[in-house]
Amino acid sequence: MNKSNNLSESVIFPKGQKITNENFIGQVWLEMLVSNDDTFNCSIGNVTFEPGARNNWHKHPGGQILLVTGGKGYYQEEGKPVQVLHEGDVVKIRPYVKHWHGATPDSWFTHIAISTNVQKGNVEWMEPVTDEEYNNLK
Ligand code: MN
């Protein structure tokens, strides 16, 4: 089995623990790789989404960078078309841009999420991406 068919298992970094909070739809796993501190002001996590899983709409006061490590995913900013993401893609999310990210319906998806300038504040979580929105993406 090659890497891209084996994304439900860890590929490079550990898959981590299931996220149990209400800010996600579907099963999502997180392994924190770098915890924030006063020197780096950033946190880095490996995030794994099962097919169809995604996070709610949200904003990062200090911005975020996504490094796609496997599978096929979606990234969408409010009012813009969805972007389809593949291994090797890099997404720079500017502070306070409302967005969501997650897997496509038919593929696992993994990315490294780098939260930058985290001294500027925590993620602001908003409403879910409804099934209607998710199933009718443009
Ligand atoms: Mn984000």
Side-chain angles (χ1 to χ4, degrees):
M1 192 178 280
N2 67 32
K3 278 186 180 181
S4 60
N5 286 335
N6 195 29
L7 287 168
S8 62
E9 305 302 323
S10 61
V11 176
I12 301 171
F13 298 104
K15 191 174 176 182
Q17 304 297 316
K18 265 187 198 170
I19 296 175
T20 56
N21 67 51
E22 68 284 8
N23 299 316
F24 293 80
I25 288 175
Q27 301 289 342
V28 183
W29 289 256
L30 170 66
E31 172 78 6
M32 284 309 298
L33 303 175
V34 176
S35 294
N36 179 48
D37 63 41
D38 291 342
T39 301
F40 294 101
N41 294 307
C42 96
S43 67
I44 304 176
N46 183 41
V47 188
T48 302
F49 299 84
E50 69 172 356
R54 68 270 190 184
N55 48 35
N56 292 356
W57 289 99
H58 61 281
K59 299 176 182 177
H60 304 274
Q64 185 181 48
I65 298 168
L66 306 178
L67 308 179
V68 178
T69 49
K72 193 173 155 193
Y74 289 145
Y75 170 72
Q76 186 175 34
E77 296 183 354
E78 186 178 42
K80 295 189 179 176
V82 71
Q83 297 178 40
V84 179
L85 301 177
H86 302 93
E87 187 175 318
D89 286 341
V90 176
V91 182
K92 293 169 76 178
I93 306 164
R94 301 190 62 80
Y96 292 108
V97 171
K98 184 177 176 181
H99 69 281
W100 65 273
H101 28 115
T104 62
D106 58 353
S107 177
W108 288 78
F109 179 56
T110 58
H111 66 48
I112 303 291
I114 304 171
S115 294
T116 50
N117 307 300
V118 294
Q119 75 279 11
K120 294 188 175 174
N122 293 325
V123 181
E124 297 178 16
W125 289 106
M126 284 163 272
E127 70 278 12
V129 178
T130 65
D131 287 345
E132 187 177 3
E133 280 179 286
Y134 182 80
N135 293 325
N136 294 285
L137 287 169
K138 295 184 181 92

